[in-house]
Amino acid sequence: AKLARVRVRVKIRANPNPNPNPNQVEAKLGLLAALVGAASESELTARAADSAHATWSTMQAEAEFNHGKAMSDIKSSFATGHIKGEKPKPASFELGVLYKGQTITESVAQVRERAGLFDVSHMCGVTLSGADAERFVESLVVGDISGLKAGTGTLSVMLDEAGGIIDDTVVTRVGDGEVYMVLNAGCAEKDLAHIGAHLSEFSGDCSLTVHNDRSLLALQGPKAAGVLQTLTSEDLSQLYFGMLKPVTVNGAACWVMRTGYTGEDGFEISVPNIAAPALAEALTGHADVEWAGLGARDTLRLEAGLCLYGNDIDLSTSPLEAGLKWTIGKARQEKLDFVGGEAVRKLMADGIT
């Protein structure tokens, strides 16, 4: 696989403690690795939530950065909004780099060898529905969405007119007239504005639904399928990578997709907010599952060569420059009939492939 370019910009301050705790040192180094791209403390605390970095409160971020706590005690959204059935805005999420009793190394090993549960509810799930939904989505993303079989998805990107990447997104053709997309939380506001602006000018039959009533859990690792199978009667061995299906899990009506952003086998489970805490408790109650934080997530996605928006790709990056030409569907590589398509054509003509 072609690895995306990674730009690392961090500031390291001298530790005034002449005898630092080794666990604190490991945690601080892991924190820096997990927050690549933060050039200063102020940027660290202000970074918008995205697929691997949820926004913390200033106090919590400074505590992690200045003191390098070996065991994060930051609460996930399941301890607050989800219990009430309400989904907090991305900026109100407080997700830890680590969970109690872990180092990043141990958390990564947990996901590689058994299974880790990631709270990725800060991601924004949307559905485009209507007779012309597929045509509308294809006007915005580079993938061949109409060519997907019902219940399957693919990674794609949305571009601006200059060919820069607005966001990377998993797009699933649920069925005729229904397309489901997962947007990065840090990009959600601009993504929804971009989608809404083009939808207002679209003459076909298509409407947008933002799923604020649902949470998203990612169960990742070689033990993930076996663990999840204990909570559903659906035969998960028939759910292959990239496939999505409505499945009852732990008594809740979920949308389960075999996918993830760790390089391991696993599932992303969209669950009604009100049922999310019970599902999380059932999953983490299994001997093979532990909560996993942002440190492990960023390490795993980097090792798998998966891009992180805002760090490896952004509006200054085209899909060609990012090694993401493969996301442009073969059926679309001649017409390039999507926003930014002509800019991509010019880049190709200039020899950028």
Side-chain angles (χ1 to χ4, degrees):
K2 183 182 292 184
L3 290 175
R5 291 171 298 151
V6 179
R7 300 187 300 273
V8 181
R9 306 185 306 273
V10 297
K11 179 176 73 175
I12 301 176
R13 300 187 309 182
N15 191 333
N17 183 354
N19 298 300
N21 184 317
N23 287 334
Q24 291 182 340
V25 173
E26 180 179 1
K28 182 170 288 188
L29 291 175
L31 176 66
L32 292 173
L35 292 171
V36 290
S40 65
E41 288 177 74
S42 60
E43 183 179 347
L44 174 82
T45 59
R47 289 194 59 173
D50 59 25
S51 60
H53 301 135
T55 301
W56 304 333
S57 71
T58 300
M59 182 180 297
Q60 287 162 329
E62 288 181 346
E64 288 285 343
F65 193 89
N66 294 334
H67 304 299
K69 291 190 299 183
M71 297 179 292
S72 175
D73 217 359
I74 296 176
K75 294 180 179 179
S76 81
S77 53
F78 287 102
T80 53
H82 289 326
I83 292 177
K84 301 176 183 178
E86 301 170 355
K87 182 175 180 180
K89 295 179 181 178
S92 68
F93 276 72
E94 299 172 352
L95 307 182
V97 171
L98 297 169
Y99 285 85
K100 267 195 171 182
Q102 300 176 345
T103 65
I104 290 178
T105 300
E106 291 168 345
S107 188
V108 168
Q110 171 71 28
V111 177
R112 283 185 183 145
E113 298 168 9
R114 293 174 293 280
L117 185 65
F118 298 86
D119 174 8
V120 289
S121 301
H122 55 303
M123 305 290 278
C124 180
V126 303
T127 293
L128 284 302
S129 55
D132 300 305
E134 293 167 19
R135 180 163 64 90
F136 173 73
V137 172
E138 285 195 343
S139 72
L140 298 183
V141 304
V142 305
D144 179 15
I145 309 307
S146 61
L148 293 172
K149 293 182 179 179
T152 64
T154 185
L155 179 70
S156 194
V157 292
M158 287 192 294
L159 308 180
D160 65 7
E161 292 290 353
I165 299 174
I166 294 175
D167 199 5
D168 59 321
T169 173
V170 174
V171 184
T172 302
R173 180 176 173 267
V174 179
D176 291 339
E178 185 176 0
V179 178
Y180 176 63
M181 300 173 65
V182 178
L183 311 173
N184 283 313
C187 299
E189 185 175 351
K190 68 174 180 178
D191 288 357
L192 293 176
H194 178 73
I195 294 170
H198 285 273
L199 190 57
S200 67
E201 300 175 354
F202 186 66
S203 59
D205 176 22
C206 184
S207 61
L208 171 70
T209 301
V210 181
H211 298 294
N212 287 323
D213 58 339
R214 303 187 74 87
S215 301
L216 192 64
L217 291 170
L219 182 65
Q220 300 285 292
K223 301 288 187 180
V227 171
L228 189 58
Q229 189 65 77
T230 66
L231 300 179
T232 181
S233 60
E234 188 74 29
D235 184 2
L236 297 178
S237 69
Q238 299 305 302
L239 193 70
Y240 302 111
F241 184 81
M243 293 176 63
L244 179 146
K245 190 173 185 180
V247 176
T248 299
V249 181
N250 201 46
C254 299
W255 306 332
V256 177
M257 186 173 192
R258 195 156 201 160
T259 187
Y261 222 61
T262 63
E264 299 292 337
D265 185 23
F267 304 84
E268 291 189 354
I269 309 162
S270 175
V271 54
N273 288 342
I274 198 67
L279 176 56
E281 185 176 352
L283 290 169
T284 55
H286 195 285
D288 285 326
V289 181
E290 290 184 11
W291 280 107
L294 304 182
R297 185 173 175 80
D298 206 33
T299 300
L300 289 160
R301 72 90 194 165
L302 184 60
E303 290 179 345
L306 301 171
C307 293
L308 175 63
Y309 194 89
N311 191 77
D312 310 321
I313 54 176
D314 55 29
L315 285 171
S316 68
T317 315
S318 76
L320 304 182
E321 295 163 323
L324 294 174
K325 182 181 179 181
W326 62 269
T327 63
I328 304 175
K330 291 183 179 179
R332 311 199 65 195
Q333 290 183 11
E334 181 176 345
K335 291 185 177 180
L336 299 175
D337 52 349
F338 45 79
V339 174
E342 288 308 309
V344 171
R345 191 187 306 279
K346 185 177 185 303
L347 289 172
M348 289 179 173
D350 290 341
I352 299 176
T353 59

